[in-house]
mmCIF file of all heavy atoms in Angstrom:
data_model
loop_
_atom_site.group_PDB
_atom_site.id
_atom_site.type_symbol
_atom_site.label_atom_id
_atom_site.label_comp_id
_atom_site.label_asym_id
_atom_site.label_seq_id
_atom_site.Cartn_x
_atom_site.Cartn_y
_atom_site.Cartn_z
ATOM 1 N N THR Z 1 102.887 95.848 106.442
ATOM 2 C CA THR Z 1 102.731 96.104 107.914
ATOM 3 C C THR Z 1 103.184 94.845 108.689
ATOM 4 O O THR Z 1 103.374 93.791 108.101
ATOM 5 C CB THR Z 1 101.146 96.317 108.225
ATOM 6 O OG1 THR Z 1 100.439 95.065 108.062
ATOM 7 C CG2 THR Z 1 100.621 97.450 107.420
ATOM 8 N N GLY Z 2 103.338 94.990 109.954
ATOM 9 C CA GLY Z 2 103.740 93.917 110.751
ATOM 10 C C GLY Z 2 102.785 92.939 111.087
ATOM 11 O O GLY Z 2 103.068 91.818 111.661
ATOM 12 N N SER Z 3 101.505 93.186 110.828
ATOM 13 C CA SER Z 3 100.392 92.326 111.187
ATOM 14 C C SER Z 3 99.361 92.292 110.098
ATOM 15 O O SER Z 3 98.973 93.339 109.620
ATOM 16 C CB SER Z 3 99.743 92.719 112.502
ATOM 17 O OG SER Z 3 98.545 91.955 112.754
ATOM 18 N N PRO Z 4 98.767 91.181 109.723
ATOM 19 C CA PRO Z 4 97.713 91.149 108.661
ATOM 20 C C PRO Z 4 96.373 91.383 109.261
ATOM 21 O O PRO Z 4 95.334 91.479 108.525
ATOM 22 C CB PRO Z 4 97.817 89.658 108.188
ATOM 23 C CG PRO Z 4 98.274 88.894 109.439
ATOM 24 C CD PRO Z 4 99.255 89.822 110.081
ATOM 25 N N LEU Z 5 96.225 91.682 110.531
ATOM 26 C CA LEU Z 5 94.927 91.985 111.202
ATOM 27 C C LEU Z 5 94.597 93.477 110.748
ATOM 28 O O LEU Z 5 95.394 94.400 110.854
ATOM 29 C CB LEU Z 5 95.026 91.922 112.722
ATOM 30 C CG LEU Z 5 95.330 90.533 113.241
ATOM 31 C CD1 LEU Z 5 95.484 90.641 114.785
ATOM 32 C CD2 LEU Z 5 94.282 89.561 112.837
ATOM 33 N N CYS Z 6 93.420 93.613 110.264
ATOM 34 C CA CYS Z 6 92.882 94.956 109.881
ATOM 35 C C CYS Z 6 91.376 95.025 109.944
ATOM 36 O O CYS Z 6 90.731 94.004 110.200
ATOM 37 C CB CYS Z 6 93.389 95.281 108.523
ATOM 38 S SG CYS Z 6 92.767 94.213 107.189
ATOM 39 N N THR Z 7 90.855 96.167 109.673
ATOM 40 C CA THR Z 7 89.468 96.422 109.601
ATOM 41 C C THR Z 7 89.112 97.157 108.362
ATOM 42 O O THR Z 7 89.835 98.132 108.091
ATOM 43 C CB THR Z 7 88.932 97.166 110.827
ATOM 44 O OG1 THR Z 7 89.355 96.503 112.002
ATOM 45 C CG2 THR Z 7 87.460 97.476 110.824
ATOM 46 N N ILE Z 8 88.102 96.746 107.622
ATOM 47 C CA ILE Z 8 87.615 97.482 106.455
ATOM 48 C C ILE Z 8 86.289 98.075 106.839
ATOM 49 O O ILE Z 8 85.429 97.467 107.491
ATOM 50 C CB ILE Z 8 87.526 96.593 105.195
ATOM 51 C CG1 ILE Z 8 87.130 97.379 104.004
ATOM 52 C CG2 ILE Z 8 86.605 95.410 105.424
ATOM 53 C CD1 ILE Z 8 87.274 96.734 102.716
ATOM 54 N N THR Z 9 86.068 99.367 106.419
ATOM 55 C CA THR Z 9 84.838 100.037 106.587
ATOM 56 C C THR Z 9 84.426 100.604 105.238
ATOM 57 O O THR Z 9 85.275 101.222 104.556
ATOM 58 C CB THR Z 9 84.976 101.188 107.593
ATOM 59 O OG1 THR Z 9 85.505 100.620 108.829
ATOM 60 C CG2 THR Z 9 83.651 101.822 107.839
ATOM 61 N N LEU Z 10 83.174 100.319 104.884
ATOM 62 C CA LEU Z 10 82.538 100.939 103.697
ATOM 63 C C LEU Z 10 81.504 101.948 104.213
ATOM 64 O O LEU Z 10 80.616 101.520 104.951
ATOM 65 C CB LEU Z 10 81.905 99.954 102.823
ATOM 66 C CG LEU Z 10 82.725 98.762 102.319
ATOM 67 C CD1 LEU Z 10 81.811 97.846 101.518
ATOM 68 C CD2 LEU Z 10 83.811 99.329 101.463
ATOM 69 N N ARG Z 11 81.719 103.208 103.849
ATOM 70 C CA ARG Z 11 80.714 104.194 104.285
ATOM 71 C C ARG Z 11 79.983 104.842 103.071
ATOM 72 O O ARG Z 11 80.733 105.466 102.225
ATOM 73 C CB ARG Z 11 81.422 105.274 105.065
ATOM 74 C CG ARG Z 11 80.524 106.373 105.545
ATOM 75 C CD ARG Z 11 81.107 107.122 106.752
ATOM 76 N NE ARG Z 11 81.042 106.304 107.936
ATOM 77 C CZ ARG Z 11 81.962 106.243 108.737
ATOM 78 N NH1 ARG Z 11 83.124 106.928 108.679
ATOM 79 N NH2 ARG Z 11 81.819 105.449 109.819
ATOM 80 N N ARG Z 12 78.730 104.690 103.012
ATOM 81 C CA ARG Z 12 78.032 105.305 101.948
ATOM 82 C C ARG Z 12 77.982 106.818 102.143
ATOM 83 O O ARG Z 12 77.792 107.249 103.224
ATOM 84 C CB ARG Z 12 76.575 104.791 101.861
ATOM 85 C CG ARG Z 12 75.852 105.336 100.607
ATOM 86 C CD ARG Z 12 74.466 104.763 100.493
ATOM 87 N NE ARG Z 12 73.887 105.282 99.268
ATOM 88 C CZ ARG Z 12 72.693 105.113 98.992
ATOM 89 N NH1 ARG Z 12 71.887 104.449 99.832
ATOM 90 N NH2 ARG Z 12 72.168 105.629 97.906
ATOM 91 N N ARG Z 13 78.149 107.542 100.985
ATOM 92 C CA ARG Z 13 78.115 108.995 101.066
ATOM 93 C C ARG Z 13 77.142 109.472 99.968
ATOM 94 O O ARG Z 13 76.787 108.654 99.085
ATOM 95 C CB ARG Z 13 79.487 109.528 100.753
ATOM 96 C CG ARG Z 13 80.485 109.058 101.795
ATOM 97 C CD ARG Z 13 81.773 109.873 101.710
ATOM 98 N NE ARG Z 13 82.371 109.726 103.031
ATOM 99 C CZ ARG Z 13 83.064 110.639 103.622
ATOM 100 N NH1 ARG Z 13 83.224 111.798 103.097
ATOM 101 N NH2 ARG Z 13 83.589 110.439 104.787
ATOM 102 N N PRO Z 14 76.675 110.696 100.012
ATOM 103 C CA PRO Z 14 75.667 111.154 99.045
ATOM 104 C C PRO Z 14 76.213 111.045 97.620
ATOM 105 O O PRO Z 14 75.455 110.887 96.704
ATOM 106 C CB PRO Z 14 75.498 112.609 99.481
ATOM 107 C CG PRO Z 14 75.794 112.686 100.903
ATOM 108 C CD PRO Z 14 76.857 111.732 101.127
ATOM 109 N N ASP Z 15 77.530 111.173 97.461
ATOM 110 C CA ASP Z 15 78.102 111.145 96.080
ATOM 111 C C ASP Z 15 78.986 109.937 95.791
ATOM 112 O O ASP Z 15 79.786 109.908 94.901
ATOM 113 C CB ASP Z 15 78.902 112.453 95.867
ATOM 114 C CG ASP Z 15 80.016 112.572 96.832
ATOM 115 O OD1 ASP Z 15 80.134 111.850 97.784
ATOM 116 O OD2 ASP Z 15 80.912 113.461 96.601
ATOM 117 N N GLY Z 16 78.864 108.876 96.629
ATOM 118 C CA GLY Z 16 79.728 107.669 96.410
ATOM 119 C C GLY Z 16 79.938 106.925 97.684
ATOM 120 O O GLY Z 16 78.980 106.732 98.494
ATOM 121 N N VAL Z 17 81.093 106.408 97.827
ATOM 122 C CA VAL Z 17 81.507 105.490 98.921
ATOM 123 C C VAL Z 17 82.867 105.846 99.363
ATOM 124 O O VAL Z 17 83.750 106.203 98.538
ATOM 125 C CB VAL Z 17 81.309 104.101 98.564
ATOM 126 C CG1 VAL Z 17 82.292 103.677 97.503
ATOM 127 C CG2 VAL Z 17 81.407 103.087 99.815
ATOM 128 N N ARG Z 18 83.103 105.699 100.677
ATOM 129 C CA ARG Z 18 84.460 105.807 101.247
ATOM 130 C C ARG Z 18 84.900 104.370 101.677
ATOM 131 O O ARG Z 18 84.212 103.804 102.463
ATOM 132 C CB ARG Z 18 84.628 106.739 102.360
ATOM 133 C CG ARG Z 18 86.050 106.689 103.044
ATOM 134 C CD ARG Z 18 86.271 107.750 104.024
ATOM 135 N NE ARG Z 18 86.547 109.034 103.332
ATOM 136 C CZ ARG Z 18 86.933 110.141 103.932
ATOM 137 N NH1 ARG Z 18 87.075 110.106 105.280
ATOM 138 N NH2 ARG Z 18 87.177 111.211 103.201
ATOM 139 N N VAL Z 19 86.039 103.912 101.160
ATOM 140 C CA VAL Z 19 86.592 102.578 101.556
ATOM 141 C C VAL Z 19 87.761 102.951 102.553
ATOM 142 O O VAL Z 19 88.624 103.779 102.170
ATOM 143 C CB VAL Z 19 87.168 101.857 100.375
ATOM 144 C CG1 VAL Z 19 87.742 100.606 100.802
ATOM 145 C CG2 VAL Z 19 86.033 101.611 99.373
ATOM 146 N N THR Z 20 87.749 102.482 103.715
ATOM 147 C CA THR Z 20 88.823 102.687 104.692
ATOM 148 C C THR Z 20 89.279 101.344 105.183
ATOM 149 O O THR Z 20 88.532 100.483 105.527
ATOM 150 C CB THR Z 20 88.305 103.423 105.931
ATOM 151 O OG1 THR Z 20 87.785 104.709 105.455
ATOM 152 C CG2 THR Z 20 89.450 103.768 106.912
ATOM 153 N N VAL Z 21 90.571 101.146 105.185
ATOM 154 C CA VAL Z 21 91.268 99.996 105.844
ATOM 155 C C VAL Z 21 92.150 100.520 106.971
ATOM 156 O O VAL Z 21 92.953 101.386 106.755
ATOM 157 C CB VAL Z 21 92.116 99.213 104.786
ATOM 158 C CG1 VAL Z 21 92.855 98.149 105.429
ATOM 159 C CG2 VAL Z 21 91.153 98.642 103.692
ATOM 160 N N SER Z 22 91.862 100.010 108.099
ATOM 161 C CA SER Z 22 92.602 100.437 109.325
ATOM 162 C C SER Z 22 93.472 99.217 109.762
ATOM 163 O O SER Z 22 93.107 98.016 109.698
ATOM 164 C CB SER Z 22 91.572 100.648 110.391
ATOM 165 O OG SER Z 22 90.688 101.602 110.101
ATOM 166 N N ASP Z 23 94.760 99.556 110.122
ATOM 167 C CA ASP Z 23 95.688 98.494 110.550
ATOM 168 C C ASP Z 23 96.453 99.062 111.702
ATOM 169 O O ASP Z 23 96.310 100.199 112.166
ATOM 170 C CB ASP Z 23 96.624 98.029 109.404
ATOM 171 C CG ASP Z 23 97.474 99.143 108.860
ATOM 172 O OD1 ASP Z 23 98.261 99.767 109.628
ATOM 173 O OD2 ASP Z 23 97.471 99.425 107.612
ATOM 174 N N SER Z 24 97.373 98.228 112.225
ATOM 175 C CA SER Z 24 98.114 98.562 113.532
ATOM 176 C C SER Z 24 99.451 99.174 113.276
ATOM 177 O O SER Z 24 100.210 99.391 114.224
ATOM 178 C CB SER Z 24 98.221 97.311 114.364
ATOM 179 O OG SER Z 24 98.915 96.260 113.729
ATOM 180 N N ASP Z 25 99.874 99.410 111.993
ATOM 181 C CA ASP Z 25 101.109 100.035 111.666
ATOM 182 C C ASP Z 25 100.939 101.490 111.518
ATOM 183 O O ASP Z 25 100.015 101.987 110.788
ATOM 184 C CB ASP Z 25 101.579 99.391 110.364
ATOM 185 C CG ASP Z 25 103.041 99.760 110.054
ATOM 186 O OD1 ASP Z 25 103.624 100.652 110.671
ATOM 187 O OD2 ASP Z 25 103.604 99.146 109.132
ATOM 188 N N THR Z 26 101.783 102.323 112.188
ATOM 189 C CA THR Z 26 101.632 103.743 112.059
ATOM 190 C C THR Z 26 102.347 104.354 110.814
ATOM 191 O O THR Z 26 102.113 105.573 110.582
ATOM 192 C CB THR Z 26 102.225 104.479 113.362
ATOM 193 O OG1 THR Z 26 103.540 104.032 113.536
ATOM 194 C CG2 THR Z 26 101.371 104.058 114.584
ATOM 195 N N ALA Z 27 103.149 103.595 110.122
ATOM 196 C CA ALA Z 27 103.834 104.111 108.931
ATOM 197 C C ALA Z 27 102.845 104.315 107.852
ATOM 198 O O ALA Z 27 102.131 103.392 107.499
ATOM 199 C CB ALA Z 27 104.933 103.198 108.531
ATOM 200 N N PRO Z 28 102.821 105.485 107.286
ATOM 201 C CA PRO Z 28 101.891 105.748 106.101
ATOM 202 C C PRO Z 28 102.329 104.999 104.831
ATOM 203 O O PRO Z 28 103.551 104.640 104.742
ATOM 204 C CB PRO Z 28 102.010 107.307 105.899
ATOM 205 C CG PRO Z 28 103.328 107.571 106.392
ATOM 206 C CD PRO Z 28 103.648 106.674 107.476
ATOM 207 N N PRO Z 29 101.402 104.705 103.982
ATOM 208 C CA PRO Z 29 101.794 104.118 102.648
ATOM 209 C C PRO Z 29 102.793 104.933 101.958
ATOM 210 O O PRO Z 29 102.703 106.156 101.934
ATOM 211 C CB PRO Z 29 100.471 103.991 101.882
ATOM 212 C CG PRO Z 29 99.353 104.351 102.811
ATOM 213 C CD PRO Z 29 100.022 104.994 103.945
ATOM 214 N N GLU Z 30 103.732 104.351 101.291
ATOM 215 C CA GLU Z 30 104.755 105.102 100.581
ATOM 216 C C GLU Z 30 104.300 105.350 99.152
ATOM 217 O O GLU Z 30 103.972 104.363 98.460
ATOM 218 C CB GLU Z 30 106.127 104.266 100.577
ATOM 219 C CG GLU Z 30 106.667 104.332 101.986
ATOM 220 C CD GLU Z 30 108.134 103.699 101.898
ATOM 221 O OE1 GLU Z 30 108.712 103.780 100.870
ATOM 222 O OE2 GLU Z 30 108.515 103.100 102.978
ATOM 223 N N ARG Z 31 104.351 106.599 98.730
ATOM 224 C CA ARG Z 31 104.190 106.969 97.343
ATOM 225 C C ARG Z 31 105.447 106.994 96.656
ATOM 226 O O ARG Z 31 106.489 107.436 97.264
ATOM 227 C CB ARG Z 31 103.467 108.311 97.198
ATOM 228 C CG ARG Z 31 102.087 108.302 97.562
ATOM 229 C CD ARG Z 31 101.472 109.646 97.325
ATOM 230 N NE ARG Z 31 99.999 109.614 97.584
ATOM 231 C CZ ARG Z 31 99.184 110.149 96.739
ATOM 232 N NH1 ARG Z 31 99.521 110.861 95.737
ATOM 233 N NH2 ARG Z 31 97.910 110.000 97.033
ATOM 234 N N ARG Z 32 105.514 106.626 95.444
ATOM 235 C CA ARG Z 32 106.776 106.745 94.700
ATOM 236 C C ARG Z 32 107.159 108.228 94.548
ATOM 237 O O ARG Z 32 106.225 109.049 94.380
ATOM 238 C CB ARG Z 32 106.590 106.131 93.337
ATOM 239 C CG ARG Z 32 106.869 104.664 93.303
ATOM 240 C CD ARG Z 32 107.286 104.318 91.930
ATOM 241 N NE ARG Z 32 107.444 102.906 91.925
ATOM 242 C CZ ARG Z 32 108.545 102.291 92.031
ATOM 243 N NH1 ARG Z 32 109.693 102.953 92.077
ATOM 244 N NH2 ARG Z 32 108.635 101.010 92.115
ATOM 245 N N ASP Z 33 108.361 108.477 94.639
ATOM 246 C CA ASP Z 33 108.878 109.859 94.452
ATOM 247 C C ASP Z 33 108.612 110.212 93.010
ATOM 248 O O ASP Z 33 109.003 109.471 92.104
ATOM 249 C CB ASP Z 33 110.390 109.882 94.670
ATOM 250 C CG ASP Z 33 111.052 111.167 94.620
ATOM 251 O OD1 ASP Z 33 110.371 112.112 94.037
ATOM 252 O OD2 ASP Z 33 112.217 111.301 94.985
#
């Protein structure tokens, strides 16, 4: 991304946890073909 600024959120769920990292770049992560 163009900036190292981000936010991490951990959200407890009944069956586990959701880890979310938010950043200012709109390009999605690239998966290998």
Side-chain angles (χ1 to χ4, degrees):
T1 68
S3 171
L5 299 174
C6 62
T7 302
I8 183 170
T9 305
L10 303 177
R11 177 162 289 140
R12 184 175 183 192
R13 299 194 159 217
D15 60 348
V17 64
R18 175 172 281 190
V19 178
T20 304
V21 173
S22 305
D23 63 55
S24 60
D25 189 348
T26 57
E30 289 186 28
R31 286 185 173 222
R32 272 204 186 260
D33 182 349

